[in-house]
Structure formats: C-alpha cells, structure tokens
C-alpha cells in the first residue's frame, strides 16, 4: 500500500495513489454536503417511523400515521361510488329494451361499460370488438342468440356453454366424423356456400336436409332458439372456406364464454351490454 504524502503546493495529505502522475488530495467533504447528508438520514428514519416501511413476518410496519395507498384507493372508489349512486340505481331499474340512447343514463352506462370491456372483454373480442377466429365480431348484426340490449346483457351475465351457470346459453353441434363418410362431409361443405339458393335435389342437398336442417333450418338460415348459426350469410366465426367447413362439420365447434354475472356487478353487466350494443352491431 502506498503511503499518503503531503502535497508540497497545498500542504494537504494526498490519498496515497496517483493516475499518470495525477494525485488526489484528501480534502474534507464540504460542510453543506455533510449537513444535507445527515439531515437526509434523520428524515429517512422519521419517514420509516411515520409511514409503512419495514417488512415483517406477516406484513409491514404500519407507521404512526397509519397511511396506506390501498386505503387511499379504497377511499377514492368509495367516493366515486357515492357520486354515481343515483345513476347506478337508475341503471339497475332501467328496462334494457326501452333504453333511450340520447339520455344521460345511457351515456353514463356506455362510458362505464367501455372501461369494463377494455379490462375484461378485449382480450378475446379485441380492443375494437371486431373479434377473431373463434371469437365473435361484436360490430356486425350476426347475433347467435339475439342482439337486443336485453339479449346481449343475458349472454354476458350467464355466458355461453360454460359449466358454472345453469342459465348459460347452450348449444352443441355433433361431430359428424362418426356419423357421415368423409366424402359426404366434403359434399355438405361444398353445398353450404350455395345457400340459400341451392340445389336441394342434389345428393349434397339431401344430406344437408337429413343431417343439418333440423338445427340450421330448411334453408340454412339458422335458429336462435337452438343457438344454430345462419349458414346462408357471409359471416363465419371460424371461416367459410372448404377446408375449414370440412373441419367444422367433422369435429364440431364448442366455444365457451364465462358467466360474467359471477365476476361483475349487475350494473357493470348492464353497462358493458350498453357499450357493446352502442358500437353499432346490436339490433
């Protein structure tokens, strides 16, 4: 270790090392810096006493002031709920099929529902509600179980084909791989795009009538009571090309939507239904 020496010019002790002939003087810290440093230490100790700080076995120290960011958020939520209490009461009492879209209550419900949609629904239906393969587009008028405000609210509240709500919308298409031959399935898949102006006397037309019409209707236009899609339009949840139709008929589809009435409040269910309906796809 290099012993420090006394600098001849300043008369101060050096730090005992040099860099390319440059030495560092062992000057004391400025008094203002030391005072600030000690004051910050005192402030830090005081802060840990006044506010939650030190982690313990089952939680952190509470602090003498008892402050909590969660408590602050809870207070804000309570204040927000109190400010909107009258609107929430009105929304719960509102007949969903007689909802004036020009009313302040409708505007409040749509704004609240938009926040719920972005937090809970956009992961499947997309940020713009345009859906994707296997996830319905909420911007069009193709509603499997009805697109009225009350129908939409019911679907959100109880969900689709889930096992947690006895009132969930439910339909189940059989997998025809054990019912029809592959050639017959391919024939029906080729026949479906010709609906409703189809050759019903053809072999494929007879196959469709015998195996599909009981749910999808004689013209393939669907049945909402059964949850059977309209096959005569150009809207397809999984795709309408030959290969996809063959896969759908062969193995069936069974999309599931959770019962949001078990996760959201009734006012939030009504609000998000209002928002979805207001996007333009509702009937």
């Amino acid at each position: 270790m290099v012993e420090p020496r006394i600098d001849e010019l300043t008369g101060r002790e050096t730090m005992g090392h040099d860099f390319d002939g440059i030495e560092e003087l062992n000057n004391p810290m400025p008094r203002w810096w030391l005072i600030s440093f000690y004051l910050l230490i005192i402030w830090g100790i005081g802060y840990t006493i006044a506010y939650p700080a030190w982690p313990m076995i089952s939680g952190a120290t509470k602090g003498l002031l008892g402050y909590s960011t969660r408590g602050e958020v809870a207070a804000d939520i309570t204040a927000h709920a109190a400010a909107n209490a009258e609107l929430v009461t009105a929304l719960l009492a509102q007949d969903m099929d007689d909802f004036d879209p020009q009313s302040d209550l409708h505007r409040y419900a749509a704004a609240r529902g938009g926040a719920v949609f972005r937090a809970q629904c956009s992961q499947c239906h997309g940020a713009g509600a345009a859906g994707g393969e296997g996830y319905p587009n909420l911007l069009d008028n193709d509603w499997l179980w009805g697109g009225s405000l009350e129908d939409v609210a019911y679907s959100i509240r109880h969900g689709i084909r889930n096992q947690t709500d006895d009132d969930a919308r439910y339909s189940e298409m059989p997998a025809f791989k054990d019912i029809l031959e592959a050639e017959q399935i391919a024939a029906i898949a080729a026949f479906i795009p010709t609906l409703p102006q189809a050759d019903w006397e053809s072999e494929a037309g007879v196959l469709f009538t015998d195996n599909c019409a009981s749910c999808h209707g004689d013209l393939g236009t669907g049945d909402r009571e059964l949850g059977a899609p309209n096959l005569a339009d150009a809207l397809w949840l999984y795709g309408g090309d030959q290969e996809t139709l063959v896969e759908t008929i062969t193995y069936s589809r069974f999309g599931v939507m959770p019962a949001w009435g078990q996760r959201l409040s009734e006012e939030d269910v009504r609000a998000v239904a209002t928002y979805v309906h207001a996007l333009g796809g509702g009937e």
Side-chain angles (χ1 to χ4, degrees), residues 225-239:
E225 294 297 322
L226 298 176
N230 182 357
L231 305 180
D233 58 23
L235 302 174
W236 297 94
L237 186 58
Y238 293 94

Side-chain angles (χ1 to χ4, degrees), residues 75-238:
D76 288 343
I77 293 174
T78 300
H80 176 80
N84 293 305
E86 292 185 9
L87 288 169
V88 170
T89 300
L91 180 59
L92 291 173
Q94 175 66 45
D95 181 351
M96 297 298 285
D97 285 331
D98 188 29
F99 209 163
D100 180 7
Q102 302 302 320
S103 66
D104 289 340
L105 180 59
H106 189 282
R107 284 188 283 271
Y108 164 75
R112 177 172 182 154
V116 176
F117 182 91
R118 288 185 287 275
Q120 306 291 345
C121 313
S122 62
Q123 293 86 346
C124 291
H125 293 285
E133 184 178 338
Y135 301 100
N137 181 353
L138 306 180
L139 303 177
D140 59 30
N141 286 322
D142 195 37
W143 293 84
L144 191 56
W145 277 281
S148 71
L149 241 177
E150 183 54 49
D151 288 332
V152 175
Y154 185 97
S155 295
I156 295 170
R157 187 180 299 115
H158 299 291
I160 311 295
R161 304 185 193 93
N162 60 67
Q163 301 296 320
T164 61
D165 192 313
D166 292 337
D167 294 318
R169 307 276 199 189
Y170 202 92
S171 65
E172 185 171 1
M173 174 183 171
F176 281 90
K177 63 183 178 65
D178 297 324
I179 302 173
L180 299 175
E181 300 294 331
E183 295 78 8
Q184 294 175 312
I185 291 175
I188 294 175
F191 175 79
I192 288 174
T194 68
L195 296 173
Q197 307 299 326
D199 182 4
W200 296 99
E201 302 300 325
S202 65
E203 180 182 354
V206 173
L207 284 170
F208 182 92
T209 300
D210 291 345
N211 294 278
C212 313
S214 58
C215 292
H216 293 284
D218 292 336
L219 298 178
T221 52
D223 187 337
R224 284 182 171 177
E225 294 297 322
L226 298 176
N230 182 357
L231 305 180
D233 58 23
L235 302 174
W236 297 94
L237 186 58
Y238 293 94

Side-chain angles (χ1 to χ4, degrees), residues 1-67:
M1 180 177 178
V2 179
E3 292 292 332
R5 72 178 188 83
I6 304 300
D7 180 62
E8 297 178 358
L9 183 62
T10 62
R12 292 187 178 279
E13 186 180 82
T14 66
M15 296 295 293
H17 52 253
D18 69 81
F19 300 94
D20 294 332
I22 300 174
E23 295 180 297
E24 182 181 2
L25 298 178
N26 188 13
N27 288 324
M29 299 298 296
R31 188 171 298 277
W32 66 267
W33 192 95
L34 286 173
I35 293 174
S36 299
F37 178 69
Y38 294 135
L39 287 176
L40 284 173
I41 292 176
I42 295 172
W43 176 86
I45 295 173
Y47 185 93
T48 62
I49 295 173
Y51 291 92
W54 299 105
M56 307 297 283
I57 295 176
S58 59
T61 54
K62 302 298 182 182
L64 295 180
L65 298 181
Y67 173 79

